[in-house]
Amino acid sequence: MICTRRSTTISIAMTALAIAVSATAAPDCSQPQPGEALPGGSTTHHKQRNINAFSQSSANMSFENELNFKLGNGIFKKIWVPAPSSTTASDGLGPLYNARACQRCHLKDGRGHPPEANWPEDNAVSMFLRLSIPPQNDAQRQLLESGRAGVIPEPTYGGQLQDLAINGLSGEGRMVINYTETTVSLADGTQVSLRQPEYSVASLSYGPLHPQTMLSPRIAPPMIGLGLLEAVTAADIEALSDPEDLDNDGISGRTNRVWNSLTGQLDLGRFGWKAGNPTLIQQAAGAFNGDMGISTPFVPAAAGDCTTQQADCLIQPNGNTAQQDNAEASEAMVKLVEFYSRNLAPPARPDFDKPEVLKGKMVFHQSGCAACHQPTFSTATRIDMPEQSDQQIWPYTDLLLHDMGKALADNRPEFMASGSEWRTPPLWGIGLTQTVNGHTYFLHDGRARNLLEAILWHGGEAQTSRDHVIKLPVAERTALITFLESL
């Protein structure tokens, strides 16, 4: 068994369609591969794999840029307050919001988690519900078809449910999760319980939801390596796309095409659970506004996600000032957060060459996991991103959309992503989730309580790989998990 990078070449003859499929061979994956110990190339940090493992700057960063990284970290941790306030550089929170700081959701720059219980026993601070409805008229249909919008927001509550509000207002409502346990039997007789979530909203403050409302739960994803993913060329990502499954391998990954608000045109989606954002700056500005209600020059709505049906929300004072570019967070502040996010470095892999890890890597490839969790890329030459320029990286993602089957579907389209498609999440750092965040909840809504459960939820294009794992002997399954925990 050799590790391969999936590559498809299509040639069209003058009189007939000829399809040639080729794979570029890589070294034997039973052995360590060059660069594998450094997931982020030269950006990889070698500090301890402890609770701060996701909060380290790019190891190849210049001394001058370290200041920008620290300033960005300060803004990332900043606690925002309602306007008006004497601290004009920190006011403008809300009026409706999910968190008062970026760090509140991305605790230690890591992975969010579902609540342990429904409100009021617990608060879903690092998880929220996206809201949208199907298009209701020709104008909305045209908006979606043009790609200028990815969804039609719910008319009363907007694009996401904000459960918190400034004094004098009520949060929009509370997410309710009910789990049903189901059992999967592995070939060796092991019984694994999976929890199937069902989502609803209680304590709605502004009237009922639209009857066709689609709910999509999202936990905050980990922050490491984002700049490296932005530095991969669109051509390299698109080369892995095979929407018609022309190579007949059962994998039909495809790109999401999303609206780039800076260029005013469609672009390759890279970030978010459904690859709904093309750039880190757009991702950051959207989070400022949607999650915290903070206006920026990129998303100038001072009332955040308030809708015309929320009159009391729209009349609240805002924190826009000339000093902040007539917004609540200036362009410079957003760009510092972008710089910080871009330079959160993946940690080194000290156990990459251990026999049990190499055995698990073999199982990973034999199971077909690498067909979507593409191990490695080379980043582009980027003068504007010197740390991320010309690096060999090991993120274990193809950044493409894949149909993951009915069980994982949120049934909510986003741009070109269907209700059952998700972007392949990177796996680098996944074994440190417990260390950094104190839990092992995985997938877009944290339903999986460990890595094995996460694998067993895979369906659709990943069904064959999942079934292969079910049939594995205990020793090989254990080695597979050991490999994942080494990443």
Side-chain angles (χ1 to χ4, degrees):
M1 172 65 190
I2 60 172
C3 304
T4 59
R5 177 168 182 156
R6 197 158 61 93
S7 174
T8 303
T9 303
I10 304 174
S11 60
I12 304 178
M14 293 296 291
T15 58
L17 176 67
I19 300 173
V21 179
S22 65
T24 303
D28 183 348
C29 62
S30 66
Q31 301 298 319
Q33 292 168 253
E36 194 175 5
L38 306 175
S42 297
T43 72
T44 307
H45 78 79
H46 296 267
K47 298 184 179 179
Q48 288 187 328
R49 289 165 65 93
N50 59 21
I51 193 171
N52 296 312
F54 293 167
S55 301
Q56 306 301 321
S57 62
S58 299
N60 59 349
M61 181 182 290
S62 68
F63 178 77
E64 293 78 10
N65 278 342
E66 282 286 353
L67 176 60
N68 288 333
F69 182 83
K70 288 172 179 164
L71 288 171
N73 187 17
I75 298 168
F76 196 79
K77 293 179 176 179
K78 177 197 285 283
I79 303 295
W80 294 87
V81 298
S85 168
S86 59
T87 55
T88 57
S90 299
D91 71 355
L93 177 70
L96 302 172
Y97 61 96
N98 294 102
R100 295 178 61 191
C102 307
Q103 179 85 347
R104 193 73 177 94
C105 291
H106 299 278
L107 185 62
K108 287 295 185 180
D109 305 296
R111 188 182 303 268
H113 62 87
E116 296 295 339
N118 290 318
W119 179 264
E121 283 75 25
D122 196 7
N123 184 25
V125 70
S126 58
M127 179 181 182
F128 59 75
L129 288 173
R130 296 275 193 211
L131 310 174
S132 60
I133 62 172
Q136 304 295 300
N137 50 52
D138 288 341
Q140 291 181 349
R141 279 185 282 274
Q142 176 58 34
L143 193 62
L144 295 181
E145 289 169 4
S146 70
R148 289 179 175 272
V151 299
I152 302 301
E154 200 281 337
T156 299
Y157 292 91
Q160 71 189 54
L161 185 76
Q162 280 104 5
D163 56 351
L164 301 174
I166 62 174
N167 289 339
L169 292 180
S170 298
E172 292 181 316
R174 296 289 180 179
M175 176 175 63
V176 176
I177 313 174
N178 289 308
Y179 292 107
T180 302
E181 296 283 343
T182 59
T183 301
V184 175
S185 298
L186 307 186
D188 62 12
T190 300
Q191 301 289 301
V192 181
S193 184
L194 303 181
R195 55 178 192 172
Q196 173 74 58
E198 181 179 350
Y199 297 92
S200 59
V201 183
S203 305
L204 287 164
S205 298
Y206 300 90
L209 290 165
H210 188 282
Q212 293 178 287
T213 298
M214 297 173 281
L215 309 177
S216 183
R218 307 289 173 88
I219 62 168
M223 301 285 292
I224 58 170
L226 297 180
L228 293 164
L229 297 179
E230 190 161 40
V232 176
T233 67
D236 281 352
I237 297 168
E238 290 162 353
L240 298 173
S241 178
D242 185 17
E244 304 301 325
D245 192 19
L246 296 176
D247 60 3
N248 296 310
D249 68 350
I251 306 299
S252 52
R254 64 193 188 108
T255 58
N256 201 355
R257 308 299 298 183
V258 305
W259 191 252
N260 187 322
S261 60
L262 294 182
T263 63
Q265 60 187 18
L266 290 172
D267 205 346
L268 174 71
R270 298 172 189 255
F271 303 109
W273 287 103
K274 285 182 179 279
N277 269 306
T279 62
L280 281 177
I281 195 78
Q282 188 164 311
Q283 179 89 350
F288 265 107
N289 199 258
D291 300 352
M292 297 181 291
I294 300 298
S295 64
T296 69
F298 305 98
V299 185
D305 196 35
C306 295
T307 70
T308 56
Q309 304 301 310
Q310 298 168 329
D312 289 344
C313 181
L314 293 172
I315 62 173
Q316 298 302 311
N318 63 65
N320 289 356
T321 64
Q323 293 87 348
Q324 302 296 339
D325 300 330
N326 295 315
E328 292 162 338
S330 67
E331 178 177 343
M333 293 173 72
V334 180
K335 287 185 174 180
L336 283 168
V337 169
E338 176 203 21
F339 184 82
Y340 174 73
S341 302
R342 183 199 306 166
N343 283 289
L344 285 166
R349 293 180 60 206
D351 299 332
F352 76 102
D353 58 353
K354 288 189 174 180
E356 183 74 358
V357 170
L358 292 173
K359 178 180 177 181
K361 184 171 72 166
M362 282 283 291
V363 176
F364 181 84
H365 285 268
Q366 290 168 346
S367 301
C369 304
C372 299
H373 290 284
Q374 165 71 30
T376 184
F377 283 100
S378 294
T379 65
T381 300
R382 294 288 298 264
I383 296 174
D384 59 327
M385 298 165 59
E387 297 86 2
Q388 289 74 38
S389 184
D390 297 315
Q391 301 297 324
Q392 183 189 16
I393 62 172
W394 298 77
Y396 287 88
T397 175
D398 57 10
L399 293 174
L400 297 176
L401 298 172
H402 293 277
D403 188 329
M404 295 301 293
K406 182 178 178 181
L408 280 181
D410 66 350
N411 300 309
R412 178 183 179 269
E414 183 177 337
F415 288 102
M416 294 179 65
S418 75
S420 59
E421 287 181 314
W422 299 95
R423 184 205 66 162
T424 307
L427 297 182
W428 48 15
I430 197 167
L432 286 168
T433 304
Q434 176 69 58
T435 299
V436 174
N437 295 121
H439 68 81
T440 56
Y441 294 125
F442 300 110
L443 302 177
H444 66 280
D445 57 0
R447 69 178 67 186
R449 291 163 290 198
N450 52 59
L451 289 169
L452 180 58
E453 285 188 27
I455 294 168
L456 296 178
W457 273 110
H458 284 49
E461 295 174 46
Q463 185 72 39
T464 300
S465 293
R466 173 213 186 247
D467 292 346
H468 187 276
V469 171
I470 285 177
K471 297 173 184 176
L472 288 175
V474 174
E476 291 189 14
R477 189 171 70 243
T478 301
L480 173 62
I481 300 301
T482 300
F483 166 70
L484 293 173
E485 290 175 342
S486 80
L487 294 177

